[in-house]
Amino acid sequence: MFNGTSFGFVNSHLTSGSEKKIRRNQNYVSILRFLNLGDKKLNPFDITHRFTHLFWLGDLNYRIELPSTEAESIVTKIKQQQYQELLCRDQLTIEKGEGKVFLHYDEEEITFAPTYRFERDTRERYAYTKAKATGTKYNLPSWCDRVLRKSYPLVHVFCQSYGCTNDIMTSDHSPVFSTFEVGVASQFVSKHGTVYNFTRQRHRTGCATNARVSLYFTKSLLSEEDARSNCLSIFLSRSQQCVSGWDQVHELCCHPHDKVQDQVLHRIPLQLLRE
């Protein structure tokens, strides 16, 4: 936590094997359901909604989905840096695009070679075959090691670098790195700012209740329409996807310049520090 801006980091090693992408998807869902991090007051939400910025990294083990007979062709394309053609067959890119995993997560463009599977102590050769008692197993060169992030809407975050290093060769993976420039919330609300109060009517076990949420914006930062969109994206998506027990979000309306009252649930300062 820094000045009201929260950061979360998840490092995971998902199930290996090119044929086990469904199991990897299940690993991801299980982590969302059972990993308990961050502010305890946000426990009704999964971890993707508990932090201003959540970074998810590790050996996610998603592979290039091509037949083993294409191994030499894949290596040739890597040497020619024809990465985009291979990324079209990347399992994580496909599963994410279909909304099965890492919904609304961002990943910087990949401009580096696949980080798995190398011969140890060298980065000149991919070791894509492995002799086993049951026969030869193929591990096609793939981008197994990834860095993804998910941030609240309209916050300042910029990826400065995303790559891998070939200097560390003790593993059959090449380490991946990423650096980010991130804005943090101000401790103070501008005297010239605008308060937008949002009333959310919700139903639970047949009983309708009203809850009010106040968001603070500087006039120069957001218009009323931007404020409405921001609240919708934060709170409506949370309620629809994450809060168990709520039957539906019935109504969400905006009251600009309304006076802050006692029933305010959260006050979220979104005046960002910018260069």
Side-chain angles (χ1 to χ4, degrees):
M1 180 73 73
F2 184 83
N3 270 7
T5 300
S6 56
F7 296 85
F9 299 88
V10 177
N11 187 358
S12 62
H13 186 182
L14 306 186
T15 300
S16 63
S18 59
E19 73 284 359
K20 295 181 180 178
K21 68 178 180 182
I22 295 177
R23 182 69 178 274
R24 286 187 278 277
N25 293 352
Q26 293 170 343
N27 292 160
Y28 167 77
V29 173
S30 295
I31 293 171
L32 286 187
R33 289 184 60 191
F34 299 115
L35 184 59
N36 189 4
L37 292 175
D39 191 340
K40 292 183 178 180
K41 291 182 291 186
L42 298 178
N43 279 350
F45 306 120
D46 69 43
I47 57 171
T48 61
H49 298 280
R50 296 185 194 177
F51 300 93
T52 312
H53 304 281
L54 179 66
F55 299 90
W56 197 309
L57 60 151
D59 181 3
L60 305 186
N61 254 319
Y62 287 93
R63 310 300 176 91
I64 292 176
E65 199 161 88
L66 286 171
S68 57
T69 54
E70 295 290 318
E72 285 296 333
S73 175
I74 292 172
V75 172
T76 299
K77 289 176 181 177
I78 292 171
K79 291 179 179 179
Q80 297 172 349
Q81 298 186 2
Q82 296 178 7
Y83 301 145
Q84 290 305 314
E85 188 174 342
L86 296 176
L87 283 166
C88 290
R89 306 302 296 270
D90 171 63
Q91 290 178 342
L92 179 55
T93 301
I94 295 170
E95 298 298 289
K96 184 174 175 293
E98 294 178 356
K100 296 178 180 178
V101 291
F102 294 101
L103 187 64
H104 302 312
Y105 277 76
D106 292 317
E107 182 180 21
E108 189 67 9
E109 181 184 1
I110 293 177
T111 59
F112 51 90
T115 56
Y116 177 81
R117 179 178 183 255
F118 286 101
E119 290 186 11
R120 296 177 189 270
D121 300 320
T122 180
R123 287 300 176 262
E124 299 297 324
R125 293 180 299 277
Y126 284 98
Y128 54 81
T129 60
K130 186 176 183 180
K132 303 192 75 174
T134 55
T136 301
K137 180 180 179 180
Y138 282 82
N139 288 295
L140 298 180
S142 299
W143 286 277
C144 292
D145 310 283
R146 312 287 275 268
V147 179
L148 299 96
R149 68 157 184 89
K150 186 174 184 179
S151 301
Y152 285 173
L154 301 177
V155 296
H156 176 71
V157 56
F158 174 72
C159 182
Q160 296 178 320
S161 65
Y162 187 29
C164 71
T165 175
N166 293 323
D167 297 334
I168 301 173
M169 298 179 286
T170 53
S171 169
D172 51 7
H173 291 254
S174 283
V176 167
F177 62 86
S178 189
T179 58
F180 295 85
E181 176 186 292
V182 180
V184 296
S186 170
Q187 298 182 59
F188 306 100
V189 178
S190 171
K191 293 180 180 179
H192 305 291
T194 301
V195 177
Y196 291 105
N197 290 327
F198 295 84
T199 300
R200 178 177 54 178
Q201 188 179 66
R202 54 196 181 184
H203 287 248
R204 189 177 189 183
T205 61
C207 179
T209 59
N210 288 324
R212 182 178 293 259
V213 178
S214 291
L215 301 181
Y216 292 78
F217 304 99
T218 61
K219 289 181 179 178
S220 61
L221 182 62
L222 292 171
S223 65
E224 177 181 333
E225 186 61 33
D226 291 331
R228 184 191 300 271
S229 300
N230 189 67
C231 189
L232 278 167
S233 59
I234 293 175
F235 294 101
L236 186 56
S237 64
R238 283 183 179 180
S239 299
Q240 287 178 330
Q241 297 174 19
C242 306
V243 182
S244 59
W246 295 107
D247 296 323
Q248 62 177 344
V249 177
H250 184 66
E251 182 182 1
L252 184 64
C253 52
C254 175
H255 305 283
H257 310 294
D258 198 5
K259 187 176 180 180
V260 179
Q261 299 181 12
D262 293 336
Q263 63 265 40
V264 170
L265 291 184
H266 303 286
R267 296 180 180 179
I268 306 176
L270 294 179
Q271 180 184 357
L272 303 182
L273 298 178
R274 296 177 181 271
E275 294 182 350

